[in-house]
Amino acid sequence: MTPISFDLAEPHGPRRPVDVLIVDDSVVVRRIMAKVLAADDRFSVTGAVSSGTQAIDFVRNQPVDLVLLDMQMPGMDGLEVLPRLLASERKVQVVLLSGTCREGSEIALQALAMGASDVVAKPSAGHFSDNFVEHLLDRLGHLVPAPERNRTPERIDEESARLRPLGTMVRAVGVGGSTGGISAIMTLLSGLNPGNAFPIFITQHLPANFQPLFAEQLHRATQRPVVIAEEGLPVRAGVIHVAPGNAHLSLVREARGRVTIRLSRERCLHGSFPAVDPMFLAMARVYGPGACGVILSGMGRDGLAGAHAIIEAGGWMIAQDHASSAVWGMPGSVARAGLASAILPPGSIGELILDQWQTAA
């Protein structure tokens, strides 16, 4: 899911291929998928199994970076197997393949909310066209490579983390998340009253075709107006502005003081679209001490550079705690750097923001 490209060239030599496990009850599909991946030197097929139980055992005992998981299988289906795979200490990425679940559907978004990296519609075994193969490899090529996951911070004692003072101003709130971030965002926003007079910006690592349903679910859950960010769109207080899936959400303050959306497609450190760093950097530039950044569950370190910018501008950061995170990479990197004013579960984050906003009002 997280659109971070497999740029396999490292300054110190090429990266190793990504180890892939194929899970499908059809032997034909397993053979086709293995052949497709074997033809791409970015990937190495380390195994192919026919059931969820076999997949769980394989991941427990063998090195795996990425699991291609069939949604419909006898016994445990993909949604049942997914959380067990994600609970592995190996920090695997899971892409669900479904012959019946439409990309961008509510079931697909549910899988993403549970921590899947992507959901791709799968044709029947005899209809793996060149277009599908190209589409699949493109989607897999926008996932976090193994070396990036290996740089995820180790678990630290949150009680000993160095915390900054709480912010005293809330002019805008920016929320960034990736794997496991969707459910955290919903919980966080439920702690904010719909009438809060500050804009909210959200960058969640999601493919573009999921953004409309994500925005719809945000509206249903929060009763706030929700818009997908467009170039030149005026920023409005009380509105949730969601980064599109094919560009970064940035901001500019015009001569008369009006803040508008700017979309950027410049490659950032993590190569993702959308990335959290550009949003945080823009908030620091536009809102200064009134910028409140929130970093939620996700692999890697997207958001760390932007968090530095918010702190340097006088704003403040909140990180999701380890216990409630599906992956404590992104929030852990901010906590470890001593940039967070609080490390909390999502529900408490919303309450804290509301308290600080009401205190300053």
Side-chain angles (χ1 to χ4, degrees):
M1 168 213 115
T2 306
I4 298 180
S5 62
F6 280 116
D7 180 5
L8 298 178
E10 283 273 19
H12 306 294
R15 292 176 177 172
R16 66 173 178 81
V18 174
D19 292 328
V20 182
L21 171 65
I22 300 167
V23 186
D24 199 295
D25 60 308
S26 167
V27 64
V28 176
V29 171
R30 295 199 301 272
R31 288 173 179 171
I32 293 174
M33 294 299 300
K35 183 177 180 180
V36 166
L37 295 174
D40 191 316
D41 60 10
R42 296 174 296 177
F43 307 103
S44 173
V45 178
T46 59
V49 299
S50 61
S51 71
T53 301
Q54 292 174 333
I56 294 166
D57 290 340
F58 192 99
V59 169
R60 186 181 296 123
N61 297 300
Q62 301 292 332
V64 177
D65 301 314
L66 173 65
V67 178
L68 298 184
L69 178 64
D70 187 21
M71 183 79 86
Q72 293 82 28
M73 294 183 295
M76 289 190 293
D77 64 19
L79 289 181
E80 292 177 284
V81 178
L82 174 61
R84 303 191 187 192
L85 293 176
L86 294 176
S88 166
E89 295 182 357
R90 297 184 185 277
K91 301 187 178 76
V92 297
Q93 295 264 71
V94 180
V95 172
L96 281 159
L97 303 177
S98 174
T100 60
C101 176
R102 181 175 57 86
E103 293 178 15
S105 67
E106 292 204 27
I107 293 178
L109 195 61
Q110 178 187 352
L112 293 174
M114 293 171 65
S117 296
D118 204 350
V119 179
V120 178
K122 179 185 68 173
S124 58
H127 297 83
F128 276 50
S129 65
D130 291 342
N131 286 339
F132 168 74
V133 170
E134 181 179 356
H135 174 68
L136 176 65
L137 293 177
D138 178 66
R139 297 285 279 270
L140 297 183
H142 287 78
L143 297 175
V144 181
E148 177 70 16
R149 294 200 303 281
N150 291 340
R151 290 195 290 270
T152 296
E154 297 295 329
R155 180 175 182 175
I156 63 172
D157 182 356
E158 294 172 15
E159 294 182 359
S160 67
R162 177 168 51 89
L163 296 178
R164 300 180 57 83
L166 290 173
T168 58
M169 193 183 307
V170 182
R171 290 179 178 164
V173 174
V175 182
S178 186
T179 305
I182 295 176
S183 59
I185 289 171
M186 300 294 182
T187 302
L188 185 162
L189 294 179
S190 67
L192 298 175
N193 294 331
N196 298 143
F198 50 77
I200 298 173
F201 306 102
I202 293 180
T203 292
Q204 167 67 34
H205 293 169
L206 272 178
N209 57 327
F210 287 94
Q211 298 291 1
L213 182 57
F214 178 48
E216 180 184 333
Q217 289 199 347
L218 282 173
H219 173 65
R220 290 204 303 259
T222 66
Q223 298 303 304
R224 289 176 180 265
V226 180
V227 297
I228 297 177
E230 298 178 359
E231 180 69 24
L233 184 72
V235 169
R236 292 184 292 152
V239 175
I240 299 173
H241 307 76
V242 179
N246 56 1
H248 310 306
L249 191 163
S250 187
L251 304 165
V252 63
R253 186 178 294 278
E254 298 178 345
R256 295 186 178 182
R258 186 178 73 163
V259 178
T260 58
I261 298 289
R262 289 291 181 268
L263 297 183
S264 168
R265 291 177 175 81
E266 294 183 5
R267 184 178 178 85
C268 67
L269 175 65
H270 305 281
S272 62
F273 289 100
V276 179
D277 276 329
M279 179 182 71
F280 282 171
L281 289 166
M283 289 180 60
R285 185 174 61 251
V286 170
Y287 294 103
C292 173
V294 179
I295 191 76
L296 299 177
S297 176
M299 292 180 178
R301 297 177 293 178
D302 186 19
L304 178 59
H308 275 287
I310 285 178
I311 297 303
E312 290 172 4
W316 56 300
M317 291 292 307
I318 307 172
Q320 185 175 353
D321 67 345
H322 185 283
S324 66
S325 296
V327 182
W328 206 56
M330 289 163 57
S333 67
V334 170
R336 173 187 256 184
L339 301 176
S341 295
I343 304 172
L344 298 168
S348 298
I349 292 174
E351 293 172 0
L352 175 61
I353 294 172
L354 182 59
D355 287 344
Q356 297 306 105
W357 177 73
Q358 291 174 335
T359 299

